[in-house]
């Protein structure tokens, strides 16, 4: 019997080719994982009549851990995002999105090492929307004290457990006095339990400007859902692109690891895109599974391949295909990182 059983959801667009490359690298690290492949998304709707089949839900519920590729969500009309549904079904309330400098990606910052904690279940993402008339649409922004308190507490605890020093709450409570006001109040209440962590708050528009001007000043940020979605893409840009931004959706009972980026459908089938973001999400998953050595080995090999710059994907100036870049990382691991 394998040591770990992980639900693998390749997703759509470029998702399957990325996930295949990532599986190759993780398997080559020697960690003993049995992968259970499951479907999700629009292709799945055609095959099974639903975006999120029961079989996929049951597999995640049983294994309590999944690695997921991106899915495609049509803009405007159509179906509710399978991602948002998945986060709700498993109450994955914490979306952890770290960004840090990758040496091979030449960036103008001296320091970039931020962990974003995005609240993942509430806010205007609760999808409570309706047409008031033909010309007026309304969306409800729902923020609760328990929802806000638990993401604040999660972030503060994570910060303490991982030796981080500073956690700031991002909000717009000067204008949205009740909703964002409650989010901030809950953060301040949770912060009282962590006197060893420096805490504070910053208004989301100022935070956006400060991130671009001097990202090195930030350590950990706690954000409501919508601001978190937007600012973590901004942070991915600071890092050097969506191809490198990983993430985890964490609840009290299970965790689903996935990149920040989407399915990049225009590149689907070309084996062109960078699998690093899903691979780093996989590395986060290995640490979650207590497979720290394998995680470190993969990460070091990936950095080494990027430093050499010979077998890398188009977005970092190379010509390697998705699987060729994965093979380069495997070769580096097998060569003992020489
Ligand atoms: P996207 O992230 O898929 O792509 C935007 C652009 O970023 C791409 O055209 C490409 O130039 C670049 N890019 C993205 N991933 C890359 C990678 N791995 N390597 C190199 N370059 C990469 O965003 P989009 O085009 O706005 O969305 C496409 C679909 O993905 C939409 O249906 C959207 O709803 C969905 N989406 C899904 C998730 C998810 O499943 N978690 C997240 C975001 C968007």
């Amino acid at each position: 019997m394998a040591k770990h059983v992980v639900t693998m959801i390749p997703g759509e667009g470029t998702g399957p080719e990325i996930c295949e490359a990532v599986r190759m690298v993780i398997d080559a690290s020697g960690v003993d994982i049995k992968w259970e492949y499951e479907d999700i998304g629009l292709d799945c709707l055609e095959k099974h009549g639903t975006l999120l089949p029961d079989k996929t839900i049951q597999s995640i519920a049983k294994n309590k851990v999944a690695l997921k590729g991106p899915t495609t969500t049509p803009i405007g009309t159509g179906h509710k995002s399978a991602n948002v549904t998945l986060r709700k079904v498993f109450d994955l309330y914490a979306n952890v999105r770290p960004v840090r400098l990758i040496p091979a990606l030449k960036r103008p910052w001296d320091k970039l090492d931020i962990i974003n904690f995005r609240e993942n279940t509430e806010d205007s993402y609760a999808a409570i929307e309706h047409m008031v008339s033909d010309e007026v649409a309304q969306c409800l922004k729902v923020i609760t004290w328990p929802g806000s308190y638990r993401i604040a507490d999660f972030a503060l605890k994570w910060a303490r457990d991982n030796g981080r020093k500073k956690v700031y709450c991002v909000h717009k409570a000067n204008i949205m006095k009740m909703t964002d006001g409650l989010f901030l109040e809950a953060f301040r209440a949770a912060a009282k339990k962590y006197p060893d962590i420096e805490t504070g708050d910053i208004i989301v528009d100022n935070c956006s400007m400060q991130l671009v001007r001097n990202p090195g000043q930030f350590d950990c940020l706690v954000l409501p859902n919508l601001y978190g979605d937007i600012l973590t893409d901004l942070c991915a840009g600071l890092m050097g692109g969506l191809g490198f931004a990983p993430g985890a959706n964490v609840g009290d009972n299970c965790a689903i690891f996935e990149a920040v980026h989407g399915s990049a459908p225009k590149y689907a089938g070309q084996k062109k895109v960078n699998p690093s973001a899903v691979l780093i999400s996989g590395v986060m998953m290995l640490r979650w599974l207590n497979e720290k050595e394998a995680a470190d080995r993969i990460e070091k090999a990936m950095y080494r391949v990027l430093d050499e710059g010979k077998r890398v994907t188009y977005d970092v100036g190379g010509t390697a295909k998705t699987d060729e870049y994965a093979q380069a990382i495997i070769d580096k691991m097998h060569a003992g990182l020489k």
Side-chain angles (χ1 to χ4, degrees):
M1 209 173 88
K3 187 170 172 197
H4 308 286
V5 185
V6 173
T7 303
M8 169 67 97
I9 305 168
E12 297 164 284
T14 52
E17 57 213 77
I18 290 175
C19 286
E20 190 49 26
V22 169
R23 187 200 55 75
M24 276 166 52
V25 176
I26 294 181
D27 284 350
S29 76
V31 64
D32 184 17
I33 294 181
K34 178 181 167 219
W35 302 96
E36 254 178 38
Y37 276 75
E38 300 294 347
D39 289 337
I40 193 171
L42 283 178
D43 295 348
C44 193
L45 185 67
E46 281 169 27
K47 270 198 264 168
H48 307 290
T50 170
L51 285 172
L52 183 54
D54 283 348
K55 191 164 164 291
T56 304
I57 293 177
Q58 282 157 15
S59 171
I60 301 169
K62 173 172 68 71
N63 299 329
K64 303 195 181 335
V65 56
L67 185 60
K68 184 185 157 295
T71 49
T72 304
T73 310
I75 292 173
T77 55
H79 297 271
K80 226 187 206 175
S81 155
N83 265 336
V84 175
T85 311
L86 203 51
R87 290 168 197 166
K88 271 197 186 159
V89 168
F90 289 103
D91 199 17
L92 304 171
Y93 61 85
N95 187 197
V96 186
R97 291 181 163 182
V99 283
R100 57 197 276 214
L101 284 180
I102 292 188
L105 306 178
K106 305 275 177 279
R107 307 300 295 153
W109 337 109
D110 295 332
K111 186 179 167 223
L112 171 66
D113 184 8
I114 304 170
I115 307 183
N116 290 299
F117 297 89
R118 166 188 169 196
E119 201 290 321
N120 221 8
T121 59
E122 301 193 338
D123 199 353
S124 28
Y125 269 57
I128 309 170
E129 275 192 305
H130 56 263
M131 298 303 295
V132 176
S133 71
D134 286 349
E135 295 188 339
V136 181
Q138 196 173 45
C139 171
L140 291 188
K141 171 172 166 126
V142 179
I143 301 277
T144 69
W145 176 276
S148 305
Y149 188 90
R150 69 178 177 173
I151 185 65
D153 192 56
F154 181 98
L156 288 154
K157 182 169 183 313
W158 183 297
R160 177 185 276 172
D161 292 348
N162 291 281
R164 310 292 293 221
K165 304 278 177 259
K166 200 163 73 170
V167 182
Y168 268 53
C169 174
V170 183
H171 62 87
K172 187 79 186 175
N174 53 328
I175 304 295
M176 274 162 280
K177 293 180 192 298
M178 291 189 190
T179 47
D180 282 21
L182 190 65
F183 190 80
L184 176 58
E185 228 181 281
F187 172 80
R188 286 181 175 150
K192 288 191 180 134
K193 271 171 61 190
Y194 301 86
D196 49 319
I197 304 272
E198 181 192 330
T199 54
D201 67 281
I202 181 164
I203 292 173
V204 63
D205 34 3
N206 181 27
C207 184
S208 313
M209 187 275 286
Q210 297 286 347
L211 275 168
V212 174
R213 204 179 57 87
N214 175 20
Q217 66 187 291
F218 295 106
D219 185 348
C220 299
L221 298 175
V222 183
L223 310 105
N225 208 338
L226 180 61
Y227 309 149
D229 192 6
I230 297 166
L231 287 199
T232 52
D233 259 43
L234 185 150
C235 285
L238 296 176
M239 197 180 181
L242 277 170
F244 289 94
N249 296 293
V250 186
D252 289 333
N253 298 311
C254 83
I256 300 180
F257 295 81
E258 67 173 342
V260 170
H261 67 71
S263 57
K266 69 179 177 194
Y267 294 130
Q270 297 178 33
K271 289 200 176 174
K272 184 177 169 152
V273 293
N274 189 343
S276 297
V278 176
L279 183 59
I280 309 170
S281 308
V283 164
M284 288 172 78
M285 181 189 80
L286 291 178
R287 296 206 167 103
W288 178 265
L289 293 171
N290 230 359
E291 296 285 358
K292 297 195 171 62
E293 252 180 63
D296 290 349
R297 222 173 313 128
I298 293 173
E299 207 168 42
K300 277 189 195 136
M302 187 192 83
Y303 284 141
R304 204 61 73 85
V305 171
L306 287 166
D307 279 344
E308 289 176 3
K310 289 186 207 137
R311 294 161 78 189
V312 294
T313 47
Y314 83 97
D315 55 318
V316 271
T319 54
K321 297 277 186 193
T322 308
D323 52 348
E324 290 167 351
Y325 169 63
Q327 190 57 50
I329 297 172
I330 294 169
D331 293 347
K332 204 48 90 184
M333 273 196 289
H334 287 166
L337 296 177
K338 276 182 214 113

